Amino acid sequence: MVFPLSGKEPCPVYKKCGGCQLQRMTYEEQLHHKQLREIRLLGRFGHVEEIIGMQNPTHYRNKVTAAFALDARRKIVSGVYQSSSHRVVPVDSCMIEDATADAIIVDIRRMLPEFKIPVYDERNSTGWLRHVLIRRGFATGQVMVVLVAASPIFPTQKPFARKLKELHPEITTLVLNINDRFGPVVLGQKQKVLLGDGYIEDVLCGKRFRISPSSFYQINPVQTERLYRIAVDFADLQGDETVLDAYSGIGTIGITASDRAKQVIGVELNRDAVADAIVNARLNGLKNCWFTAGDAGEYMQRMAEDGMRPDVVFMDPPRAGSDRKFLASLLKTEPKRIVYISCDPETMARDLGILTEQKHYEVRKIQPVDMFPFTEHVETVVLMSKVK
Ligand code: SAH
């Protein structure tokens, strides 16, 4: 393990940004801090394995979003929102973000006057460019740039796209996303592809994945591979199982597990992500994976009512955790094993409490993975199995 940062010289915007809450700790201290938190929250369910840290915990974020605004002197700035405010703190480079993505954002900002692109002003709803979102495929190097703007009218679109591609030939697709709403959500519903295919592909655990602008995709590819390998290992598939991948996103976990299962069924709320998952199964030549759009709780409830019995269930809900409907129906379907992947140990503890209260399931393994160095966040994989 290398610890390249002393933790004694925090980033200049450390306080204003609020993104890296653990800046002042060395990486070793951060891992220790997370381990203690996991033990505090999950220790009552069993032994917590040692957290898996990163060899190099910097520049791991493959998705970078920058807000654009005018400062008090009407100068264009790009960066992050000051925590719990709407003031943009200028950031040109960040120790946890992908360096290529940061460089593209700076160049876009510099290009704006030349291409007469006004920056959006929230106070009076004037201007145009609100955010730039960048995603980079870790294994493929493909880069997606999404310009989030208040309207579809973009007169200098062609020369702008040409110049940007000249400066950054690594960009494989440029998308214009329209967000004319007020509020914290970055992406709007409508979009137009200005260059390339409108998505990127990446390779994880030997499988190829298409990622659209609005689909969820884990932001730390190095640790994601480790996370998925642990999850699939916990599932201990023999080849004859029906596997449910709940909260499946673009199908990454189910597809990674599919070689060892009879069939995989995925359920996911975001329709774009489901469309990606279906394409992803095809991209990998898989004929045993099905993905469906809908609420995981409702889907699980229908499965229980129809007497369907998945052998193994992967569940990877968002930070808020799962819900009563899902958990109660899950218990009714009586899978052999449940592999719960969580990005919030607090909601995970709540859900594990529900899943184990009747003592029909036991927690067998708890493995924390550091997906988000320098931040408070920690990912956990838990294996539960049915008590015989
Ligand atoms: N397993 C995927 C995605 C995990 S993120 C991966 O590893 O990449 C959580 C996912 O749950 C997101 O894709 C989100 O769109 C989805 N989601 C949120 N609420 C949901 C619900 N009620 N039912 C189904 N999916 C939901």
Side-chain angles (χ1 to χ4, degrees), residues 216-218 228 245-250 252-253 267-270 273 294-297 316-318:
F216 177 89
Y217 186 63
Q218 291 284 359
Y228 289 170
D245 179 2
Y247 309 91
S248 52
I250 60 166
T252 41
I253 296 175
V267 57
E268 157 65 44
L269 200 57
N270 176 337
D295 170 67
D316 185 10

Side-chain angles (χ1 to χ4, degrees), residues 67-71 75-78 81 86 88 119-120 129-130:
F68 280 71
L70 294 173
D71 71 6
K75 199 175 125 240
I76 299 172
V77 289
S78 64
Y81 285 118
H86 257 234
V88 173
V119 157
Y120 187 72
L129 184 67
R130 302 182 74 168

Side-chain angles (χ1 to χ4, degrees), residues 204 214-218 224 227-228 245-254 267-271 273 292-299 314-319 321-323 326 341 343 371 379:
L204 264 185
S214 74
S215 297
F216 177 89
Y217 186 63
Q218 291 284 359
T224 301
L227 179 79
Y228 289 170
D245 179 2
Y247 309 91
S248 52
I250 60 166
T252 41
I253 296 175
V267 57
E268 157 65 44
L269 200 57
N270 176 337
R271 288 181 178 277
T292 164
D295 170 67
E298 272 165 29
Y299 188 80
F314 288 102
M315 54 182 288
D316 185 10
R319 207 161 281 162
S322 195
D323 56 21
F326 182 91
I341 299 133
C343 54
M371 300 281 277
E379 194 90 5

